[in-house]
Amino acid sequence: GAGVSQSPSNKVTEKGKDVELRCDPISGHTALYWYRQSLGQGLEFLIYFQGNSAPDKSGLPSDRFSAERTGGSVSTLTIQRTQQEDSAVYLCASSLDLEGQYFGPGTRLTVL
Amino acid sequence: AQTVTQSQPEMSVQEAETVTLSCTYDTSENNYYLFWYKQPPSRQMILVIRQEAYKQQNATENRFSVNFQKAAKSFSLKISDSQLGDTAMYFCGLYTGANSKLTFGKGITLSVRP
């Protein structure tokens, strides 16, 4: 079966523009996570979706960041009015129960 | 709050040798899961090994094994017969049901020398 996919793989944008990053989780996985990884750093938790429950948005760094998950499957992370400090790799992961999270290849975002 | 600490920023090992990567953690939960993830230069995070806290037996996956010391809150990863393809960043992760989040350490860069 297919793993977690993310698109685009790379995104270059100008400061102030909005961007949308997409994540397709593994089919049947009920949990979906977004993380941010700055150059050479660890993973910073952003947001977590579990089934139909309200998402845990406690990791979102500002109100410019939002995410949604439609139909319990595909998720979109939106960053409005991008800033240079938003430049990072954005990783999506999905999981079923506690077997471990499976990660996508990430989207490298560069804000000029 | 839960924390994961990887105090070694980088390590180097000769091919075919054994290396141990350290990780300590802290949580007030009694039931939790620990993970090691590998991130090669391709940046794809790969699950290496998983340990349930309620299991005393250390997890093993081929050349990868862990030394889980629950009382000491220590969870180290041993890589035997190191291969060039093991060169990557390795992240230790802690998952608890309390907040359903996977908390990661800062990672360690492992280089395997030919």
Side-chain angles (χ1 to χ4, degrees):
Chain A
V4 178
S5 61
Q6 293 185 245
S7 60
S9 57
N10 287 283
K11 176 71 177 178
V12 180
T13 190
E14 293 180 348
K15 177 182 174 181
K17 301 281 190 182
D18 298 351
V19 295
E20 284 189 352
L21 312 180
R22 177 187 169 102
C23 172
D24 280 272
I26 293 173
S27 178
H29 279 194
T30 54
L32 187 147
Y33 302 78
W34 282 99
Y35 296 89
R36 179 169 69 176
Q37 185 177 28
S38 300
L39 185 63
Q41 299 298 309
L43 279 74
E44 174 189 5
F45 165 80
L46 296 177
I47 190 169
Y48 158 60
F49 296 89
Q50 174 62 56
N52 295 320
S53 303
D56 177 352
K57 305 179 182 180
S58 60
L60 294 179
S62 77
D63 58 8
R64 296 186 295 105
F65 288 73
S66 63
E68 62 177 21
R69 188 180 185 192
T70 55
S73 182
V74 172
S75 177
T76 302
L77 176 69
T78 301
I79 309 174
Q80 295 179 308
R81 305 181 301 281
T82 52
Q83 304 294 313
Q84 289 183 332
E85 60 263 30
D86 299 334
S87 295
V89 174
Y90 289 82
L91 291 164
C92 174
S94 70
S95 71
L96 180 63
D97 297 326
L98 301 172
E99 63 177 9
Q101 296 182 15
Y102 294 87
F103 284 78
T107 294
R108 181 178 300 279
L109 174 66
T110 303
V111 182
L112 301 177
Chain B
Q2 54 192 51
T3 60
V4 177
T5 302
Q6 294 179 253
S7 56
Q8 307 154 303
E10 53 186 70
M11 289 189 73
S12 178
V13 64
Q14 192 75 34
E15 191 176 11
E17 297 290 311
T18 295
V19 63
T20 298
L21 311 183
S22 301
C23 173
T24 58
Y25 62 92
D26 192 23
T27 178
S28 57
E29 298 293 316
N30 197 44
N31 192 24
Y32 50 88
Y33 296 78
L34 293 158
F35 302 89
W36 277 98
Y37 281 87
K38 169 185 177 181
Q39 187 179 41
S42 66
R43 83 176 181 232
Q44 176 80 55
M45 290 279 282
I46 302 165
L47 177 61
V48 174
I49 200 165
R50 167 181 178 260
Q51 174 82 42
E52 294 93 332
Y54 62 86
K55 288 187 177 179
Q56 292 186 337
Q57 186 173 4
N58 289 323
T60 299
E61 288 288 340
N62 301 313
R63 298 183 294 108
F64 299 87
S65 62
V66 300
N67 183 5
F68 175 45
Q69 301 290 327
K70 190 172 183 178
K73 295 184 177 176
S74 170
F75 183 62
S76 60
L77 175 69
K78 185 172 81 171
I79 306 174
S80 304
D81 185 25
S82 298
Q83 301 176 0
L84 297 179
D86 296 334
T87 293
M89 279 197 80
Y90 287 81
F91 293 94
C92 178
L94 165 67
Y95 178 94
T96 70
N99 58 15
S100 299
K101 293 177 190 173
L102 187 56
T103 302
F104 287 97
K106 291 187 180 299
I108 177 172
T109 300
L110 176 67
S111 299
V112 180
R113 306 186 304 274

